[in-house]
């Protein structure tokens, strides 16, 4: 493919390190689509005749059909998907195939193909995240008022509802979708027509190819167009944060399905057994989702390291952009699907959740708030009084709502019977009516609002 410049071929080692067809064949549809757009523009600009364009167009369609049918032979000696398609096109239509590469370089070609692929992957990720949000919303709607413990430091803090807990992940995934949408907006500029790095003397119409490929505009600087991989970095960064969110949920599933918690159960669909312990039901799907951030963070770090010291414009180093991005995208899509599946599959245990919500004096803050409202105490004083009452309840081996009135009055004489009205789990939850709070009516409204915002 190098024409007259080289008289010999590469060594086996050079061929092995140089070839990318083993992974960049995934860009075949984008490469053919970009070639069609480029060809249409060349024909419209009078750079390629209508007769030649028709022959090339038919050849490109034939190549696409062969790849789709699994009949296409990918050849490592041709290095990459671009040259594999170009070589097959020449076999099909003859030397006229060479006219397709007029005013185009592999530099702007691969940049265009990769942008198209990442853009399509962002759209697929967005749809998958919307489905995961729907799963969490469905679970919220099924359990809007089921009490459960709300933790800080993995210690029982205040009671919340199961539905409220589910909605927290809806918000996280909503931010993730926003990051992908932002990345999509920024990547949506076409490198096609930048050629190798300096543009081309041919009278091309870059606005035409940009529009044909669904880009908002052509990239403004030809050097930046072929060297930019920010779009891949942003995709990986957004993917890594998404994977972190999914991992947090997965960790909760691992905890909640354990014998020590038993908050929820998973069916056979998302668990596995043990090769030696017959009684085991392992939350392997959750554990694997929990591990996925390593792949996404690794891919981001790998690409950032490749790019960090590259002078403008293109270097062969940049061939290392695609493989980690492809693998990271696969891992992310699988993790999202597994998380959504587990949400729909898991069944909460109302008795266990309700009982766990009562452990550890979770309505102590409600007592402190009552002292502020009823007795006019400064909150810090109410906090001290409540702490003494908690300590007294612990000494007696009682829950805070079981502490006798006289014991409370021994610490603070102004306390009366009405204090018990705020010490139950249900009343504590119902009282959290502030915007974003866990009161069941809030949760129901928030679930409906989330459907409106995200689905």
């Amino acid at each position: 493919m190098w024409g007259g410049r080289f008289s010999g071929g590469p060594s086996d080692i050079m061929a092995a390190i140089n070839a990318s067809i083993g992974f960049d064949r995934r860009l075949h549809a984008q490469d053919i689509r970009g070639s069609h757009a480029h060809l249409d523009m060349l024909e419209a600009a009078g750079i390629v005749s209508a007769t030649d364009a028709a022959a090339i167009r038919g050849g490109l369609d034939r190549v696409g059909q062969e790849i789709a049918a699994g009949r296409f032979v990918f050849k490592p000696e041709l290095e990459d998907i671009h040259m594999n398609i170009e070589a097959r096109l020449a076999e099909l239509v003859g030397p006229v195939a060479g006219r397709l590469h007029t005013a185009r370089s592999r530099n702007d070609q691969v940049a265009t193909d990769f942008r198209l692929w990442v853009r399509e992957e962002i759209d697929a990720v967005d749809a998958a995240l919307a489905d995961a949000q729907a799963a969490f919303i469905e679970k919220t709607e099924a359990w809007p008022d089921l009490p459960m413990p709300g933790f800080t430091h993995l210690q029982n803090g205040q009671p919340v509802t199961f539905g409220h807990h589910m909605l927290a992940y809806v918000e996280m995934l909503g931010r993730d979708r926003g990051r992908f949408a932002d990345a999509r907006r920024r990547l949506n500029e076409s490198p096609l027509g930048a050629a190798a790095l300096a543009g081309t003397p041919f009278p091309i119409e870059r606005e035409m190819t940009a529009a044909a490929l669904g880009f908002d505009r052509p990239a403004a600087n030809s050097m930046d167009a072929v060297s930019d991989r920010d779009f891949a970095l942003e995709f990986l960064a957004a993917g890594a944060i998404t994977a972190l969110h999914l991992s947090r949920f997965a960790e909760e599933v691992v905890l909640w399905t354990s014998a020590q918690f038993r908050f929820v159960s998973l069916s056979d669909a998302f668990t596995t057994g043990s090769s030696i312990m017959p009684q085991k039901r392992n939350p392997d799907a959750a554990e694997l989702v929990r591990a996925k951030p390593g792949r996404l963070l690794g891919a981001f770090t790998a690409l950032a390291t490749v790019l960090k010291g590259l002078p403008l414009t293109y270097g062969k180093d940049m061939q290392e952009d695609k493989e980690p991005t492809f693998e990271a995208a696969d891992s992310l899509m699988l993790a999202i699907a597994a998380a959504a599946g587990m949400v729909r599959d898991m069944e909460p245990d109302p008795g266990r959740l309700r009982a766990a919500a009562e452990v550890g004096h979770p309505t102590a803050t409600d007592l402190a708030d009552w002292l502020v409202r009823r007795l006019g105490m400064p909150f810090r004083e109410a906090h001290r009084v409540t702490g003494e009452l908690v300590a007294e309840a612990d000494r007696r081996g009682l829950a805070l709502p079981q502490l006798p009135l006289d014991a409370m009055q021994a610490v603070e004489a102004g306390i009366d019977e009405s204090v018990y009205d705020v010490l139950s789990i249900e009343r504590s939850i119902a009282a959290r009516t502030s915007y974003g709070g866990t009161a069941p009516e809030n949760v129901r409204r928030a679930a409906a609002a989330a459907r409106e915002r995200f689905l």
Side-chain angles (χ1 to χ4, degrees), residues 443-455:
V443 172
R444 292 184 178 92
R445 285 193 296 269
R451 279 196 175 278
E452 184 69 23
R453 289 164 60 201
F454 296 122
L455 304 183

Side-chain angles (χ1 to χ4, degrees), residues 5 17 28 31 55 57 68 121 187 201 235 268 274 286 354 389 410 413:
R5 175 65 180 85
I17 197 171
H28 65 84
D31 196 72
R57 193 171 290 115
E121 197 66 17
L187 77 74
F235 172 75
D268 295 351
S274 165
R354 177 69 173 72
L389 292 172

Side-chain angles (χ1 to χ4, degrees), residues 200-224:
T200 175
F202 289 95
I204 62 173
E205 294 290 340
R206 292 190 62 208
E207 291 80 4
M208 179 179 174
T209 53
L213 294 171
F215 289 112
D216 294 331
R217 64 192 69 83
N221 182 281
S222 61
M223 297 179 74
D224 179 58

Side-chain angles (χ1 to χ4, degrees), residues 164-282:
H164 192 59
H165 197 120
M166 294 293 98
L167 285 178
Y169 288 103
V170 174
E171 295 300 319
M172 291 184 206
L173 299 183
R175 293 193 296 275
D176 293 327
R177 292 178 67 189
R179 275 181 281 271
F180 282 112
D182 288 343
R184 192 189 194 285
R185 279 191 290 273
R186 272 184 291 277
L187 77 74
N188 211 33
E189 297 183 350
S190 173
L192 195 57
L197 78 155
T200 175
F202 289 95
I204 62 173
E205 294 290 340
R206 292 190 62 208
E207 291 80 4
M208 179 179 174
T209 53
L213 294 171
F215 289 112
D216 294 331
R217 64 192 69 83
N221 182 281
S222 61
M223 297 179 74
D224 179 58
V226 298
S227 63
D228 169 43
R229 293 298 183 272
D230 289 359
F231 63 93
L233 280 174
E234 285 199 68
F235 172 75
L236 293 172
I241 296 172
T242 301
L244 292 174
H245 289 156
L246 298 174
S247 182
R248 295 184 73 177
F249 168 69
E251 168 62 7
E252 294 201 313
V253 172
V254 172
L255 288 173
W256 292 355
T257 56
S258 69
Q260 289 70 30
F261 277 75
R262 286 187 288 142
F263 284 1
V264 302
S265 61
L266 289 172
S267 76
D268 295 351
F270 288 93
T271 56
T272 64
S274 165
S275 64
I276 190 173
M277 295 169 284
Q279 82 282 9
K280 294 295 294 298
R281 181 188 290 275
N282 299 321

Side-chain angles (χ1 to χ4, degrees), residues 385-409:
V385 169
T386 301
E388 291 186 20
L389 292 172
V390 167
E392 180 62 25
D394 281 341
R395 280 191 290 271
R396 295 179 181 226
L398 300 174
L400 195 55
Q402 297 170 331
L403 193 62
L405 181 60
D406 60 352
M408 291 190 181
Q409 290 173 335

